[in-house]
């Protein structure tokens, strides 16, 4: 019963002080919306970059391409070489699966290579990028 009387007292106080009450209610609403947006952004994970370790059910991931960057005299400093077929990119990376093909790790075969792996983790999501040595 004490909680309901406290709520009634708080509502009565807000009615007696409309300017302060409006400021308090506005800041509470703004805070609630900000917290909900932060939770939504963390769940949505809109970043195009992912870590080399990921989880899938089975081997449903799809590698679109592996980009190898070679040093050059260009202003960018690198020349990009694309490897799209599995027989090409298997020379550059290996995929180690564990826990009954649920946990996967993408590993470059040469630790010094500058690579970008374009991958779709479940075969349906938008493609993400895994960078090595960049």
């Amino acid at each position: 019963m004490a909680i309901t009387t406290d709520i009634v007292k708080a509502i009565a106080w807000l009615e007696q002080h409309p300017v302060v009450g409006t400021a308090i209610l506005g800041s509470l609403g703004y805070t609630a919306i900000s917290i909900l947006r932060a939770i939504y952004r963390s769940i949505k994970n809109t970043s195009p970059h992912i870590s080399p370790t990921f989880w899938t059910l089975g081997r449903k991931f799809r590698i679109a391409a592996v980009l190898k960057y070679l040093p050059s005299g260009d202003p960018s400093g690198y020349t990009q070489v694309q490897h799209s077929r599995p027989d090409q990119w298997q020379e550059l990376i290996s995929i180690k699966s564990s826990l009954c093909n649920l946990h996967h790790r993408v590993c470059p075969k040469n630790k010094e290579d500058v690579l970008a792996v374009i991958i779709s983790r479940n075969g349906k999501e938008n493609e993400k990028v895994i960078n090595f040595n960049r």
Side-chain angles (χ1 to χ4, degrees):
M1 246 2 213
I3 294 174
T4 57
T5 57
D6 290 340
I7 292 172
V8 169
K9 286 180 183 178
I11 291 173
W13 188 86
L14 289 174
E15 288 177 352
Q16 290 174 355
H17 303 88
V19 175
V20 177
T22 303
I24 291 172
L25 291 176
S27 66
L28 287 175
Y30 184 76
T31 304
I33 289 173
S34 298
I35 290 171
L36 290 174
R37 279 187 187 156
I39 291 170
Y40 177 73
R41 285 182 187 148
S42 67
I43 291 172
K44 188 176 176 185
N45 192 10
T46 59
S47 174
H49 301 283
I50 58 173
S51 69
T53 304
F54 59 94
W55 295 82
T56 61
L57 294 173
R59 295 182 64 93
K60 293 183 179 180
F61 58 88
R62 182 177 48 85
I63 296 178
V66 176
L67 306 175
K68 183 174 182 178
Y69 295 95
L70 303 171
S72 70
D74 295 340
S76 67
Y78 290 100
T79 301
Q80 176 180 317
V81 178
Q82 180 173 338
H83 302 278
S84 300
R85 295 190 325 255
D87 62 331
Q88 294 175 335
W89 57 255
Q90 284 178 348
E91 297 172 0
L92 299 174
I93 63 169
S94 64
I95 300 168
K96 298 176 182 174
S97 298
S98 61
L99 296 172
C100 299
N101 282 335
L102 295 175
H103 187 255
H104 308 285
R105 175 180 284 283
V106 178
C107 301
K109 291 192 176 177
N110 184 357
K111 301 292 182 190
E112 304 297 322
D113 286 344
V114 179
L115 301 173
V117 180
I118 301 171
I119 188 169
S120 173
R121 291 177 288 190
N122 63 4
K124 296 178 184 175
E125 76 171 345
N126 291 338
E127 293 175 340
K128 303 286 184 172
V129 178
I130 302 171
N131 288 323
F132 293 102
N133 298 325
R134 283 192 80 175

